[in-house]
Amino acid sequence: MRLGRGPFLLAWLVATGAQVGAVVALSDDLGLAGLVVLVVQVLKVALAIPRLRDVGLPSEDALIGLVPLGNIGLFMQYLVLPTPSADVWEKRHQKWASRVTAFDALKAAVGPFLAIAPIAAPVVVLVALADAGMRQLFLAVPGEVTALGKEQSGQVASGLLVLAVVLGIYTLLQINKRHSASRASWLPSLLLLPVLFTWAAVAFESAGGQIVLVLITQAAALLSPALWGVHALVWVALGHRRRSGASASFGDMVAALRQSWASVVAVHGGVGQIVGLGMQVIIPGVYYLMQYVFTDMVVVIDPNKPALAQSGKLAAGLRRRIFVTLYAGLVVATVADFGVSYLIDGDGQSMMELVMTGLFDPSAGSWQADAAAGVLVLLVWGYIKLAMLEIYADRVKQLEG
């Protein structure tokens, strides 16, 4: 189905009018108004699909309509284009028609996900519980330090600083011999930044306030990627076996964990910290995320190649496709996260109140909600990992060909 510029613009104006009308009519309930605006925005994404087909561009770009500000760029750059001639349409179409698109990858991942999810379930649950438990331990640090008193808390801070120095020296030595160091040997370096942030939180504990919570939350966030590396390994290893025509069983999962857990955890954890720090100013984080999205695949499938460099090589020219695929996962994972949290911790709050509380006070939620949401979020990202595996395989085939 294709949609010409005139009919599209008319439908787009009606939808935009509905969004403006919702904000005006529901000004007393911004949460409900925001929900209506979001629903209509999803409908506008659906409208963009046939319009993109009409101008010869991939339908997957329609998902950019859910990206704040990105939706404006999509509209101005592509959706208002006139319908091209047959020759121009064919040239545009041929640029992407033979490649696996984001929609193709997401569709192809459904079958493997349904087969792998029951096998991976124990790992998903264990990682979610470990991740939630680790966050709870970190969030308890400020209170525990306060209870110790000034002298003892100073000793704790000194101990953390000494540990950070030792880890820093170790990491510098690793960097110096980076060309010969094994991936597993980088594991201790993953503790450097979390220890530094924890030291800062303890050192600033007397100041109290938001700064301590931000520091300790960041420390926990920098450790999460290491735990998630175990999860990533399972989905990539089992997904690759299925793509190769082999079986995927619980025994295969255990074998993959025994063989590669240290390497994958080290790389996944390191990349996660790079992305996490980059996300503090958004643009570098997004760049690193797309640049290193294939590192898990390289470590598991092609372990003799340098993971970061090879991932960057494979990602070149695919960034929009990668972004759309990851963004689809982010939207679903975010809805799942807040939805589960609302069901467990809502307690009479509106969804907007729960979201704002979670953003400014991560300690407000229960560990039960954190763990339950974590299971769903990990399942979503397991599915996205399988979709990225489809794009990875297509890209490798393209380069080899």
Side-chain angles (χ1 to χ4, degrees):
M1 177 183 174
R2 293 167 62 172
L3 188 64
R5 180 165 60 171
F8 166 77
L9 288 175
L10 179 60
W12 184 88
L13 285 172
V14 171
T16 303
Q19 289 175 310
V20 174
V23 173
V24 173
L26 300 172
S27 58
D28 294 335
D29 190 344
L30 293 180
L32 181 58
L35 179 61
V36 173
V37 169
L38 178 60
V39 170
V40 176
Q41 190 64 31
V42 172
L43 294 176
K44 290 169 77 172
V45 168
L47 280 174
I49 292 175
R51 176 83 267 258
L52 286 167
R53 289 176 183 158
D54 188 52
V55 296
L57 297 172
S59 301
E60 63 188 26
D61 287 356
L63 287 177
I64 298 174
L66 293 177
V67 182
L69 300 182
N71 56 342
I72 299 174
L74 175 71
F75 179 81
M76 298 299 295
Q77 189 173 2
Y78 299 117
L79 299 183
V80 296
L81 291 175
T83 300
S85 65
D87 288 342
V88 172
W89 187 93
E90 187 63 29
K91 287 179 181 179
R92 290 178 184 169
H93 181 73
Q94 287 303 319
K95 287 182 179 180
W96 58 269
S98 60
R99 303 269 65 88
V100 172
T101 67
F103 282 174
D104 292 334
L106 291 168
K107 181 180 178 181
V110 173
F113 173 79
L114 294 176
I116 293 171
I119 302 169
V123 170
V124 169
V125 172
L126 287 174
V127 170
L129 288 172
D131 200 22
M134 181 266 296
R135 269 190 294 274
Q136 291 301 313
L137 288 174
F138 271 86
L139 290 171
V141 167
E144 293 296 327
V145 171
T146 301
L148 288 175
K150 186 174 182 179
E151 182 177 348
Q152 287 183 303
S153 65
Q155 293 173 353
V156 171
S158 298
L160 287 169
L161 185 57
V162 169
L163 178 57
V165 170
V166 172
L167 290 169
I169 294 172
Y170 178 86
T171 301
L172 288 175
L173 293 174
Q174 283 290 105
I175 293 172
N176 188 54
K177 60 174 185 177
R178 61 188 178 276
H179 297 298
S180 59
S182 68
R183 288 172 177 139
S185 67
W186 287 92
L187 285 173
S189 297
L190 297 180
L191 297 173
L192 174 58
L193 290 176
V195 169
L196 274 175
F197 276 92
T198 304
W199 164 77
V202 173
F204 283 106
E205 185 276 331
S206 59
Q210 193 70 18
I211 182 64
V212 175
L213 185 60
V214 169
L215 288 168
I216 206 68
T217 301
Q218 188 64 47
L222 289 169
L223 267 184
S224 284
L227 293 173
W228 281 46
V230 177
H231 166 266
L233 166 59
V234 168
W235 292 91
V236 171
L238 296 185
H240 178 61
R241 285 187 63 83
R242 280 186 57 87
R243 289 199 87 266
S244 302
S247 64
S249 65
F250 187 83
D252 297 321
M253 180 179 71
V254 172
L257 287 169
R258 286 177 175 173
Q259 179 179 352
S260 305
W261 76 268
S263 296
V264 176
V265 166
V267 173
H268 193 93
V271 168
Q273 291 188 358
I274 292 171
V275 172
L277 291 176
M279 284 297 183
Q280 304 308 307
V281 285
I282 307 299
I283 293 176
V286 174
Y287 171 80
Y288 292 139
L289 180 61
M290 293 188 290
Q291 180 82 353
Y292 300 137
V293 72
F294 295 127
T295 51
D296 298 325
M297 289 79 164
V298 176
V299 175
V300 174
I301 300 171
D302 204 357
N304 292 324
K305 291 186 177 178
L308 300 187
Q310 182 67 5
S311 178
K313 177 182 177 181
L314 293 171
L318 300 181
R319 288 186 172 84
R320 176 170 293 177
R321 196 176 314 168
I322 291 168
F323 177 81
V324 169
T325 307
L326 294 177
Y327 193 76
L330 176 64
V331 171
V332 177
T334 301
V335 172
D337 189 358
F338 284 118
V340 171
S341 298
Y342 181 72
L343 290 175
I344 297 176
D345 287 343
D347 195 26
Q349 300 181 81
S350 68
M351 178 63 80
M352 181 63 71
E353 289 172 334
L354 182 72
V355 170
M356 297 307 294
T357 301
L359 288 175
F360 290 101
D361 185 9
S363 64
S366 66
W367 73 267
Q368 293 95 333
D370 193 6
V375 170
L376 284 183
V377 169
L378 285 168
L379 285 172
V380 171
W381 286 116
Y383 171 69
I384 295 299
K385 187 66 70 175
L386 294 174
M388 292 307 309
L389 187 59
E390 295 291 329
I391 296 174
Y392 167 86
D394 179 65
R395 180 60 166 168
V396 169
K397 181 180 178 181
Q398 178 190 9
L399 293 179
E400 289 178 349

